[in-house]
Amino acid sequence: MIYLDYQATTPVAPDVSKAMQPWIEEKFANPHSPSRWGHEAAAAIENARKQVEKTIGLKGGSVAFTGSATEAINWALKGTVEKAPKGRNRIITVATEHAAVLDTCEWLAGQGADLTVLPVKANGRLDLSLLERELDERVLLVAVMMVNNEIGVTQPISEISEMVHKAGGLMLCDAVQAFGRFELWDGPDLVAVSAHKIHGPKGIGALWMRKGKEPAPLIHGGGQEQGLRSGTLSPALCVGFGAAATLAEERCTRDHDHVEKLWKAAIHALGPGWIINGCTDCRYHGNLNIRREGVDAARLIADLRDIAFSLGSACASGSGRPSHVLRALGLDYREARSSIRLGFGRYTTQHEIMDACKRIAAHAVAQEKLDA
Ligand code: PLP
């Protein structure tokens, strides 16, 4: 199989798996118990926390572990609304955000929050003048992602954060697809990240919180994570997350250069007739979302079963609905349905990307002839 679905998840790095091993069987103590073994597990978790915080790289805050980035985002949004000062109940977000943000915001709107979902330009970038117009003294929280999971387009997080702070609001950044790949841009008060997008294990994420801006707890119980997020932490998952974060930081430039070469090779191998969805300059190059007139993307994926690639967001595929992100760029139903997402990264080889892209292109041409 050629794996080209790196935005959905990434393979666990061998060094990450090795670091986790002792904490799965041998060192099984509860990290919150007072025994010597408990202390040892707690120390491993604190070391992992420092590793994740170092890779996030922002000053003036700390990380609490969660079960996923989806949980971190739910917590950030719902917990901030719970602590909102009187008169601030506006939430602003963007049409191309992940469902973890959009669905939670919709839920909060159902509970009485005043929600604005801003459109994007045809290249997937937010028009900052639209945001400027919306920012007033009633704004509580603005949620904007750093790198889009479907089209790889980046947003100017520092600039947006500055605008939001001027209006007295808080800034939440979903940095799931940026973490470990980009130096995170300074400014946000809350940042959500996930281990499984950076060659770490599934089932663990984190919320970075600026000191004094911590949301109210979402999960109550034993008071772990400074009383902010109850539940026994998994030393194995935390250690794996920490190891993956350190590895990503160490390899950041090398991984970047690698995906840029793969991006160029992919475009070359696909040949003419393909259109790139989203901005080509402001982007992460490990994501290539493309469309071709007349292609039935679902059929292409079904035909090429030994290449793992995607229709759009992994969360949305299978729903039968065309991607909300592609629709937000202004693509019509047919254009969205003829779009595929190729996601590649650290372990993808030049040979794999060339082979996969040539076969995808050949199949697309064959489909066109068959349908003509
Ligand atoms: N945000 C973005 C941009 C994502 O790509 C994903 C995963 O697909 C999530 C949030 C949710 O992350 P998790 O799988 O850790 O819940």
Side-chain angles (χ1 to χ4, degrees), residues 9-157:
T9 197
T10 55
V12 174
D15 282 350
V16 168
S17 171
K18 217 190 285 170
M20 290 172 68
Q21 278 310 315
W23 301 98
I24 292 170
E25 275 191 37
E26 195 189 315
K27 301 179 181 216
F28 60 86
N30 186 323
H32 313 295
S33 77
S35 69
R36 178 160 65 81
W37 297 281
H39 282 306
E40 192 193 359
I45 288 175
E46 289 321 304
N47 184 51
R49 192 187 313 278
K50 284 201 187 92
Q51 289 176 301
V52 173
E53 285 171 350
K54 183 165 179 295
T55 303
I56 288 178
L58 302 175
K59 299 279 173 282
S62 59
V63 142
F65 289 114
T66 59
S68 62
T70 300
E71 184 195 321
I73 290 164
N74 268 264
W75 176 20
L77 287 163
K78 293 175 184 171
T80 300
V81 167
E82 199 178 319
K83 282 177 79 172
K86 214 168 171 341
R88 284 204 183 257
N89 81 329
R90 288 196 66 201
I91 301 175
I92 301 176
T93 190
V94 183
T96 48
E97 292 292 304
H98 189 273
V101 169
L102 289 175
D103 286 11
T104 309
C105 287
E106 289 292 347
W107 185 85
L108 285 165
Q111 305 292 309
D114 181 359
L115 174 65
T116 303
V117 181
L118 295 172
V120 290
K121 297 186 272 190
N123 67 0
R125 297 270 284 179
L126 178 60
D127 180 346
L128 295 190
S129 66
L130 285 186
L131 174 64
E132 185 77 68
R133 245 179 277 157
E134 293 293 336
L135 290 170
D136 59 22
E137 70 292 342
R138 291 173 302 132
V139 169
L140 171 67
L141 187 64
V142 175
V144 184
M145 70 198 333
M146 187 163 154
V147 174
N148 188 277
N149 52 305
E150 291 195 41
I151 53 174
V153 170
T154 57
Q155 302 290 357
I157 295 301

Side-chain angles (χ1 to χ4, degrees), residues 8 43 69 102 129 156 162 166 176 179 185 192 229 281 302 317 328 368:
L102 289 175
S129 66
E162 213 179 304
K166 259 193 206 146
V176 167
F179 176 54
W185 296 323
R229 197 274 187 181
D281 305 324
S317 59
E368 264 170 41

Side-chain angles (χ1 to χ4, degrees), residues 100-267:
V101 169
L102 289 175
D103 286 11
T104 309
C105 287
E106 289 292 347
W107 185 85
L108 285 165
Q111 305 292 309
D114 181 359
L115 174 65
T116 303
V117 181
L118 295 172
V120 290
K121 297 186 272 190
N123 67 0
R125 297 270 284 179
L126 178 60
D127 180 346
L128 295 190
S129 66
L130 285 186
L131 174 64
E132 185 77 68
R133 245 179 277 157
E134 293 293 336
L135 290 170
D136 59 22
E137 70 292 342
R138 291 173 302 132
V139 169
L140 171 67
L141 187 64
V142 175
V144 184
M145 70 198 333
M146 187 163 154
V147 174
N148 188 277
N149 52 305
E150 291 195 41
I151 53 174
V153 170
T154 57
Q155 302 290 357
I157 295 301
S158 296
E159 226 175 306
I160 295 171
S161 301
E162 213 179 304
M163 291 164 67
V164 173
H165 288 156
K166 259 193 206 146
L170 294 180
M171 173 73 189
L172 163 64
C173 178
D174 170 352
V176 167
Q177 298 289 343
F179 176 54
R181 296 176 181 151
F182 284 89
E183 200 177 306
L184 295 193
W185 296 323
D186 203 10
D189 304 289
L190 299 158
V191 179
V193 295
S194 184
H196 74 101
K197 310 289 184 176
I198 59 158
H199 305 283
K202 290 168 191 56
I204 183 161
L207 183 65
W208 182 90
M209 298 162 283
R210 190 173 296 287
K211 198 167 166 44
K213 309 293 181 195
E214 297 87 353
L218 185 68
I219 299 177
H220 302 269
Q224 290 90 350
E225 297 297 75
Q226 317 284 338
L228 287 171
R229 197 274 187 181
S230 288
T232 303
L233 287 173
S234 158
L237 294 180
C238 293
V239 165
F241 195 1
T246 297
L247 200 60
E249 193 185 345
E250 284 167 3
R251 295 187 49 127
C252 189
T253 309
R254 190 152 41 121
D255 284 352
H256 249 286
D257 292 348
H258 181 59
V259 295
E260 261 188 63
K261 279 190 196 127
L262 295 178
W263 156 278
K264 285 182 191 144
I267 289 172

Side-chain angles (χ1 to χ4, degrees), residues 284-306:
Y284 170 60
H285 285 94
N287 170 298
L288 181 57
N289 194 317
I290 40 171
R291 68 180 193 272
R292 187 184 166 96
E293 172 88 32
V295 162
D296 179 343
R299 231 168 77 206
L300 205 59
I301 289 169
D303 287 350
L304 294 163
R305 293 192 74 85
D306 60 336

